[in-house]
Amino acid sequence: MSTIGRPFPQDFLFGAATAAYQIEGAAHEDGRRDSIWDVFCREPGAVIGGDNGDVACDHYHRYRDDVALMKRLGLQTYRFSVSWSRVRPDGGALNPAGLDFYKRLVDELREADILPWLTLYHWDLPQALQDRGGWTARSTADLFTEYALDMHDALGDRVPVWTTLNEPWCASFLSYTGGEHAPGHHSIEEGLIASHHLLLGHGQTVRELRARDASLDLGITLNHTVADPADPQNPADVDAARRVDGQFNRWFLDPIHRASYPADIVEDIRKVDAAAVASFEAAVHDGDLAVIAQPIDTQGVNYYHGDLLSGTAPEHPPVSGAPATTRPGRSPYPSDAGIHAVERGLPRTSQNWEVQPEGLTRLLRRVHDEYTGEKGVRLFVTENGAAYDDVVTDGAVHDADRVEYVRAHLGAVLDAVDAGVDVRGYFYWSLLDNFEWAWGYAKRFGIVRVDYDTQERTPKDSALEYARIIAERRLDDVSTAGAR
């Protein structure tokens, strides 16, 4: 649909998001010790270019300038994550020097009148805990809760919004089954058990933080796809879409909001690996699902693109959007046979990810209608962004594709709001170009360019346009129409 002069709701928050390992650097300063990503980056072929987060954007030393930049752009809120390896190195005793960094960062944000939005876990598990089983060990959920309470001791009086986990699908199936992310394992059993212990850690943390302070805004951030069958009349295509939706979306939405794992997906996986499902079921103790389903206030929705799926391999499969690393991998979906992506002719980013803004509208409506709406859980788009091959021209970056991406997806959010969905804010991913996990520094998501040699920051045209939208609180002349 075409839109002109559309205002945002009065209480709608505009922000940007980052993650600790991707921007902080200072990997071995002030007592920080290895996370699983420090170790994974040393594995040959795991990360494009052999890149790592040792320096990244040097945010650890430049955070004051970065907060000043946020203020100039008009950001109302900043979503950042805490490095577990910095504040409790090796998962052990509290490290005051590491904790002080986050105290200073939060103070700087508050001084700039920017709402601090804290994410406790964005994938950087201390390596010492991985050596003891990582998220496949139930004890990790307990240690995560202890770490969360330490952070609340330090920042609970200054940080009102707490997100437990970022994208547990990535931290479990992409990491323990697919092997694309740290720790790089290829086990269906490990992925299943890790997913449960991540959610258990989430539920325990929400319960304990709620008991301490009922005024806190508590939630979780999930990444989602919109899974469409290539031919809605073809049972095989419909089934492929069902299984992707179930393994990507419902596997986490159902336990959080319904205290159950999706039974159809459990049985799909049992047909592939009955022993893995038996181990998973043994890991789910009595009472666990009630803990996981603790009431939350806020649901973060991360969206980049959807998927068009078929039960038959297409003659011309689409270009892969996965990083071209040389380390062996496998599908992150435990039940992946007969699932094939189909090309649909949508624009693509430099990462080969489709640009599908209308999918965000459908996703927000679906999550609201089926899970969060009746409970009064507020939705925020906590990540949405695109990598493009930016070019510096006379000191400026004219990233027209990203400008259009931001405008189109903000239009999609407003379409959801118009449909009655309780969406309260939008965070662009990412504030800065950064270390993009297995892609290394090969892809740039930021609305602010980072020269990795000089660490100079340059707001791109997308940053200037985002700042204008924030200042005017209005979106003009945007089309969110797109093929499915």
Side-chain angles (χ1 to χ4, degrees), residues 87-88 92-94 99 145-155 162 212:
V87 299
R88 286 189 68 167
L94 198 63
L99 192 59
T145 305
E146 291 179 14
Y147 147 65
L149 295 178
D150 282 341
M151 294 308 303
H152 182 263
D153 286 341
L155 298 174
W162 294 72
R212 283 185 170 206

Side-chain angles (χ1 to χ4, degrees), residues 118-148:
L118 188 151
T119 299
L120 287 162
Y121 188 72
H122 200 130
W123 312 343
D124 46 357
L125 183 73
Q127 179 62 35
L129 296 187
Q130 179 57 43
D131 292 341
R132 303 204 295 268
W135 286 107
T136 68
R138 190 178 179 90
S139 58
T140 300
D142 297 331
L143 290 170
F144 173 72
T145 305
E146 291 179 14
Y147 147 65

Side-chain angles (χ1 to χ4, degrees), residues 19-22 24-28 31-43 52-54 81-91 102 121-131 134-135 147 176 181-184 435 437:
Y21 189 73
Q22 293 181 268
E24 284 180 3
H28 305 105
R32 184 190 179 280
R33 291 198 281 274
D34 276 352
S35 74
I36 54 176
W37 270 94
D38 294 284
V39 173
F40 189 66
C41 288
R42 297 177 197 139
E43 291 194 27
N52 60 55
D54 286 0
S81 76
V82 173
S83 168
W84 190 347
S85 295
R86 194 179 298 284
V87 299
R88 286 189 68 167
D90 294 340
Y102 296 104
Y121 188 72
H122 200 130
W123 312 343
D124 46 357
L125 183 73
Q127 179 62 35
L129 296 187
Q130 179 57 43
D131 292 341
W135 286 107
Y147 147 65
Y176 286 89
H181 281 188
F435 174 81
W437 307 114

Side-chain angles (χ1 to χ4, degrees), residues 6-14 76 410 413-414 417-418 421-425 473-474:
R6 303 176 71 187
F8 287 89
Q10 187 174 4
D11 59 353
F12 193 90
L13 286 175
F14 292 95
Q76 296 174 281
L410 283 172
V413 172
L414 285 177
V417 171
D418 289 347
V421 180
D422 189 12
V423 189
R424 300 292 186 93
R473 300 193 64 81
R474 182 176 296 273

Side-chain angles (χ1 to χ4, degrees), residues 5 103 140 150 205 209 245 340 369 435:
K103 291 179 179 179
T140 300
D150 282 341
T205 297
L209 288 177
D245 176 65
H340 304 279
D369 292 347
F435 174 81

Side-chain angles (χ1 to χ4, degrees), residues 204-286:
Q204 291 179 169
T205 297
V206 169
R207 180 185 64 193
E208 297 305 315
L209 288 177
R210 184 83 68 203
R212 283 185 170 206
D213 185 352
S215 72
L216 295 177
D217 186 322
L218 304 175
I220 189 170
T221 280
L222 305 179
N223 55 320
H224 294 290
T225 188
V226 177
D228 291 320
D231 179 358
Q233 305 305 315
N234 184 323
D237 293 2
V238 172
D239 192 62
R242 175 192 64 82
R243 285 193 291 141
V244 167
D245 176 65
Q247 293 175 93
F248 203 104
N249 297 326
R250 290 187 287 125
W251 190 264
F252 298 95
L253 285 166
D254 282 13
I256 291 168
H257 294 287
R258 298 174 178 169
S260 63
Y261 287 99
D264 61 321
I265 301 303
V266 172
E267 295 311 310
D268 287 338
I269 301 172
R270 196 188 309 275
K271 295 172 186 175
V272 176
D273 192 333
V277 172
S279 295
F280 162 73
E281 290 175 332
V284 181
H285 296 184
D286 289 345

Side-chain angles (χ1 to χ4, degrees), residues 32-89:
R32 184 190 179 280
R33 291 198 281 274
D34 276 352
S35 74
I36 54 176
W37 270 94
D38 294 284
V39 173
F40 189 66
C41 288
R42 297 177 197 139
E43 291 194 27
V47 177
I48 290 175
D51 293 337
N52 60 55
D54 286 0
V55 176
C57 304
D58 197 30
H59 177 71
Y60 188 78
H61 299 111
R62 300 170 185 265
Y63 70 93
R64 289 189 177 91
D65 290 341
D66 288 339
V67 172
L69 177 56
M70 297 177 213
K71 186 172 180 63
R72 290 199 300 274
L73 294 177
L75 298 187
Q76 296 174 281
T77 181
Y78 172 54
R79 178 174 173 254
F80 65 96
S81 76
V82 173
S83 168
W84 190 347
S85 295
R86 194 179 298 284
V87 299
R88 286 189 68 167

